[in-house]
Amino acid sequence: MAIHIKVLGYHIDVFQHVNNARYLEFYEADRWDWMGKANLIEWAIQHRIVMAAVNINVNYFQAVGLGDELTVISRMDKIGVKSAVCYQQIIRHRNGVDEVVSDAYVTFVFIDGKVNKAMVIEDELREKIESLKNKTDAFIEV
C-alpha cells in the first residue's frame, strides 16, 4: 500500500523545506492507511488492542521542498515475540526520476487494553500482522 503526498505550504518550515518532524507524520499516515486496508485497525479496536510505537530510526537523505510529489510505502520487516518492525520509505518523484529521500524502521508493540500490558504476538494477531507482509509496493534499494 502507499499514500501520495504533494508537499504544501504548511509542510514547510522556516528553512523552506519539510521539517524532520513532519516526516514522522507522513510515515504515520501511511501506516494508518496500510493497516486500515488490511482491516487490522477495526480488528484491534474490537479486541481492545492498542498499537504503540516504541522506537523509530529515521534516515534523511535529501531535503524535500514545496511542490514535491512524494509516495510513502511500508512493509513488515520483522515479527518477534512481543514486537514487530515496519520498514518505510518516502520516495520523491521529480523529472521522471524516483529517489528515496528518507527511510525509517519503526518498532511497535501491541498492548492489551484490558490489562495495559504488551501482548505476545500469536494466534490471530500474528496472522493479521503476517498478512501485512504481502501488502507492499516496490521499494527502492538504498
Side-chain angles (χ1 to χ4, degrees):
M1 304 292 145
I3 62 167
H4 303 284
I5 298 168
K6 181 171 184 170
V7 177
L8 302 173
Y10 67 91
H11 294 134
I12 301 299
D13 65 14
V14 70
F15 300 110
Q16 299 302 304
H17 61 73
V18 174
N19 182 277
N20 61 351
R22 182 68 71 170
Y23 286 77
L24 298 177
E25 293 175 0
F26 294 165
Y27 284 128
E28 185 170 10
D30 189 58
R31 288 193 309 273
W32 276 96
D33 184 65
W34 180 52
M35 289 185 226
K37 288 177 180 167
N39 297 317
L40 180 58
I41 296 169
E42 286 178 24
W43 180 86
I45 290 169
Q46 290 172 354
H47 291 83
R48 295 190 59 202
I49 296 171
V50 177
M51 187 179 94
V54 295
N55 187 35
I56 301 174
N57 293 301
V58 182
N59 296 302
Y60 303 97
F61 304 117
Q62 299 279 330
V64 174
L66 186 65
D68 279 344
E69 301 278 343
L70 309 174
T71 298
V72 186
I73 56 178
S74 303
R75 75 169 182 238
M76 190 56 59
D77 193 54
K78 291 187 256 187
I79 303 171
V81 175
K82 283 194 171 185
S83 67
V85 179
C86 170
Y87 175 69
Q88 298 182 275
Q89 288 184 342
I90 298 177
I91 299 167
R92 176 176 42 212
H93 313 287
R94 185 188 281 169
N95 301 323
V97 175
D98 291 348
E99 64 181 331
V100 178
V101 295
S102 175
D103 71 357
Y105 286 93
V106 181
T107 303
F108 53 92
V109 298
F110 290 89
I111 299 171
D112 182 331
K114 298 170 202 136
V115 295
N116 203 29
K117 298 225 183 226
M119 302 172 58
V120 173
I121 300 172
E122 60 187 0
D123 305 325
E124 194 174 2
L125 176 58
R126 182 167 287 278
E127 287 175 28
K128 291 281 187 190
I129 299 171
E130 291 275 352
S131 76
L132 294 173
K133 286 186 171 182
N134 302 322
K135 298 184 182 328
T136 59
D137 288 306
F139 283 78
I140 297 175
E141 197 67 37
V142 288

